[in-house]
Amino acid sequence: MTEKQMTSTSLVLGSGGARGLAHIGVLRWLKENGYEVESISGCSIGALVGGVHAAGKLDEFEEWVCAIDRLDILRLLDFTWGSNGLVRGDRVIETLTDLVGDRQIEDLPIAFTAVATNLHTEKEVWFSKGPLFDAIRASISLPLFFTPFRHRGMDLIDGGVLNPVPIAPTFGDDTQTTLAVNLEGPLEKRPRDSRPVTKDEPFAPAKQKIRQFFSNLGIGEEQADETALNTREIIHQTFDSMQGTIARQKLAAYPPDAVITIPRDACGLLEFDRAEELIELGYERAGKCLTPV
């Protein structure tokens, strides 16, 4: 396919925890079907995947995330006993920086904007220059999970709090089409991961404890009684519902040329060990929504 046949594209990648691994599948489909991504705007997991792609390291990131399991995820969580969050996030960012490199946004080959939220002014903060992983760390600061990111006197949290599908940064782009990926789609009653841990599996006792840990957090294990929601599950579902409502409003007010929708129940918040399944889901939904160039 020649360069003239490619469709220049602005891509908007939404927030939604591990569901955002579907962004990788979307990017794969776009590349294979004639869409040249020239600009990316993202928040939370959308900022992470979008920033890695803009840095030209999506292959390495995909290989890494498809190889991790729940024990690896647990090792990446540097817990803190502070009152403003459960995880500092330094270990995650250090791991990703080792994988991608310490890059400046303005030096990336693809225009990139990460969106965070100023906790005190209740306004969006756009990162379109400066250290890539400062922008990503600010944008992924899910309230009550990650501690806020302190930047130039501001306490920054997840961009999805105000704008789960940040289309506005693409308004000035000189591209042929604008595509958005919304991770806050309607529920499809997709099954949660309920794979049993067998006694002869390596590190079975440890893995069972890890699954219990995630279950206690309400982030991925199937529920014995769906009506018996604990506090963490209520907070998580409330945040998801809030983001879903805001996303619909933003998409209605500033409609892109196409919206690829991923259901809210595609996976749990931290089920990054389901990467291959989620990447495939993103690829499939892109193919259903878009037409090859």
Side-chain angles (χ1 to χ4, degrees):
M1 183 173 291
T2 66
E3 185 175 352
K4 290 184 178 180
Q5 292 174 302
M6 301 291 283
T7 296
S8 61
T9 302
S10 296
L11 185 61
V12 182
L13 300 178
S15 64
R19 295 193 300 276
L21 295 178
H23 292 323
I24 300 174
V26 171
L27 284 160
R28 292 290 180 222
W29 191 94
L30 294 176
K31 181 179 180 180
E32 293 175 10
N33 289 276
Y35 294 83
E36 183 175 11
V37 176
E38 296 185 358
S39 166
I40 296 176
S41 171
C43 67
S44 197
I45 186 65
L48 196 162
V49 175
V52 169
H53 177 71
K57 294 291 185 176
L58 191 65
D59 290 343
E60 291 84 349
F61 177 73
E62 181 178 355
E63 181 179 357
W64 173 75
V65 80
C66 286
I68 63 175
D69 58 22
R70 293 193 177 191
L71 185 58
D72 295 320
I73 296 169
L74 191 60
R75 287 170 176 157
L76 287 172
L77 302 180
D78 44 359
F79 293 100
T80 177
W81 300 108
S83 60
N84 61 351
L86 183 65
V87 175
R88 287 191 300 272
D90 296 343
R91 196 173 298 162
V92 173
I93 295 301
E94 289 169 4
T95 301
L96 291 171
T97 302
D98 288 343
L99 185 70
V100 175
D102 190 8
R103 308 289 295 274
Q104 298 291 309
I105 294 175
E106 56 267 37
D107 296 334
L108 300 178
I110 295 175
F112 173 72
T113 302
V115 177
T117 299
N118 187 316
L119 183 60
H120 302 296
T121 65
E122 301 177 4
K123 294 181 179 180
E124 295 177 28
V125 177
W126 294 3
F127 287 84
S128 55
K129 61 181 180 179
L132 173 62
F133 282 102
D134 279 0
I136 290 173
R137 175 61 182 88
S139 190
I140 67 172
S141 300
L142 182 69
L144 301 181
F145 186 77
F146 282 115
T147 58
F149 181 67
R150 188 74 174 173
H151 178 75
R152 296 182 178 177
M154 300 180 289
D155 289 315
L156 303 179
I157 59 174
D158 196 314
V161 170
L162 293 179
N163 198 348
V165 190
I167 297 174
T170 69
F171 286 170
D173 291 350
D174 184 21
T175 54
Q176 294 170 286
T177 188
T178 299
L179 308 176
V181 184
N182 177 20
L183 303 179
E184 303 295 338
L187 302 178
E188 294 184 0
K189 303 298 182 183
R190 298 177 63 85
R192 289 186 181 272
D193 180 21
S194 57
R195 295 167 292 177
V197 177
T198 60
K199 291 183 179 180
D200 59 348
E201 186 176 353
F203 310 109
K207 289 190 176 183
Q208 187 62 53
K209 289 181 180 179
I210 292 166
R211 292 199 175 187
Q212 184 60 48
F213 168 81
F214 281 108
S215 180
N216 290 340
L217 284 179
I219 48 179
E221 295 294 332
E222 63 178 354
Q223 303 302 314
D225 181 0
E226 293 185 358
T227 64
L229 298 177
N230 62 35
T231 302
R232 287 172 293 270
E233 291 161 357
I234 291 172
I235 292 172
H236 178 213
Q237 290 190 20
T238 299
F239 189 68
D240 250 1
S241 298
M242 176 192 73
Q243 286 195 104
T245 298
I246 297 173
R248 288 193 296 272
Q249 293 173 343
K250 295 288 186 181
L251 291 169
Y254 309 107
D257 295 298
V259 179
I260 300 163
T261 302
I262 305 297
R264 289 204 309 274
D265 56 347
C267 70
L269 179 68
L270 286 186
E271 287 190 296
F272 288 93
D273 56 317
R274 297 174 66 182
E276 292 183 11
E277 170 191 343
L278 293 162
I279 293 168
E280 182 179 348
L281 176 63
Y283 190 94
E284 169 202 327
R285 295 301 167 95
K288 288 183 177 180
C289 176
L290 304 172
T291 302
V293 177

